[in-house]
């Protein structure tokens, strides 16, 4: 059962239509869908977009499937943190939030139009794995999960960005949040 494939199909999009794959970090629950059961790339026309530190880290780890998943792309570009990684009517930015993994990023989406950017309700942060247990860590950002490669750095990053997202009132959602639609943090 390929849930992602089915969700895309409901939008009239197939894997072959995907031009870019933005990878927040390379844990198995985030990149496990790249290879099909025959070890081929499900996204043959996609350019892999990833943090250079994240890519380098996994090349040194003893996890062949992760290496295979990242190395199967013929087109690859590392995040440029100084500007949008993709832009059209929307801008997509990768923002370093290291600690969970050495090259973990969250993804910021906002209108390209500078005036529209003032309205935070039109922006969205996907914070990937900045938090794992929302009810505990949103109140106690100093608590890290065992999945955090560098728990101290992960805690600092979590505290800093939770504060920022609250004060900016920007809608947020994560990979392990109890909500699947973006919320503005109280
Ligand atoms: Zn993770």
């Amino acid at each position: 059962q390929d849930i992602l494939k089915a969700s895309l199909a409901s939008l009239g999009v197939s894997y072959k239509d995907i031009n870019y794959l933005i990878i927040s970090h390379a844990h198995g629950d985030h990149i496990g869908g790249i290879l099909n059961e025959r070890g081929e790339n499900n996204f043959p026309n996609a350019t892999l977009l990833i943090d250079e530190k994240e890519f380098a880290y996994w090349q040194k780890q003893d996890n062949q499937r992760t290496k295979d998943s990242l190395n199967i792309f013929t087109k690859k570009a590392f995040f440029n943190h100084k500007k949008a990684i993709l832009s059209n009517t929307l801008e997509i930015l990768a923002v370093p939030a290291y600690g969970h993994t050495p090259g973990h990023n969250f993804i910021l989406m906002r209108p390209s139009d500078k005036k529209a950017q003032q309205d935070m309700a039109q922006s969205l942060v996907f914070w990937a794995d900045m938090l794992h247990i929302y009810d505990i860590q949103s109140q106690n950002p100093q608590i890290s999960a065992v999945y955090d490669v560098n728990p101290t750095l992960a805690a600092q990053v979590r505290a800093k960005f939770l504060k920022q997202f609250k004060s900016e009132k920007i809608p947020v959602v994560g990979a392990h949040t109890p909500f699947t639609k973006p919320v503005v943090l109280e």
Side-chain angles (χ1 to χ4, degrees), residues 8-157:
L8 288 171
S10 74
L11 302 170
V13 176
S14 79
Y15 280 165
K16 284 205 277 306
D17 299 326
I18 304 293
N19 296 321
Y20 297 97
L21 219 52
I22 302 171
I23 299 297
S24 64
H25 69 299
H27 274 149
D29 55 331
H30 293 259
I31 63 156
I34 290 175
L35 301 177
N36 67 20
E37 60 280 5
R38 295 180 299 280
E40 301 156 350
N41 191 350
N42 268 325
F43 306 93
N45 300 316
T47 298
L48 174 71
L49 301 177
I50 190 169
D51 191 293
E52 188 168 12
K53 288 192 171 70
E54 187 71 6
F55 188 85
Y57 172 73
W58 290 102
Q59 298 303 318
K60 288 180 273 169
Q61 301 303 305
D62 185 21
N63 186 326
Q64 196 56 47
R65 189 176 166 88
T66 300
K67 273 185 247 190
D68 290 346
S69 298
L70 297 177
N71 291 335
I72 201 158
F73 291 87
T74 49
K75 293 177 286 181
K76 171 180 79 193
F78 295 129
F79 292 158
N80 179 340
H81 293 121
K82 294 199 178 73
K83 58 175 195 154
I85 54 172
L86 292 172
S87 63
N88 197 312
T89 50
L90 275 180
E91 283 184 350
I92 303 180
L93 295 97
V95 181
Y98 301 157
H100 173 59
T101 60
H104 176 268
N105 279 236
F106 66 72
I107 308 302
L108 167 65
M109 285 157 269
R110 66 184 183 195
S112 297
D113 180 70
K114 292 274 178 271
K115 202 163 165 226
Q117 283 178 14
Q118 307 295 315
D119 176 12
M120 281 302 180
Q122 293 192 49
S123 294
L124 167 66
V125 162
F126 170 67
W127 71 37
D129 281 6
M130 200 177 82
L131 271 80
H132 282 83
I133 307 151
Y134 180 80
D135 290 344
I136 293 173
Q137 291 179 298
S138 59
Q139 302 305 317
N140 305 278
Q142 75 279 10
I143 297 175
S144 286
V146 289
Y147 316 108
D148 292 338
V149 173
N150 182 334
T152 308
L153 182 58
Q156 287 166 1
V157 161

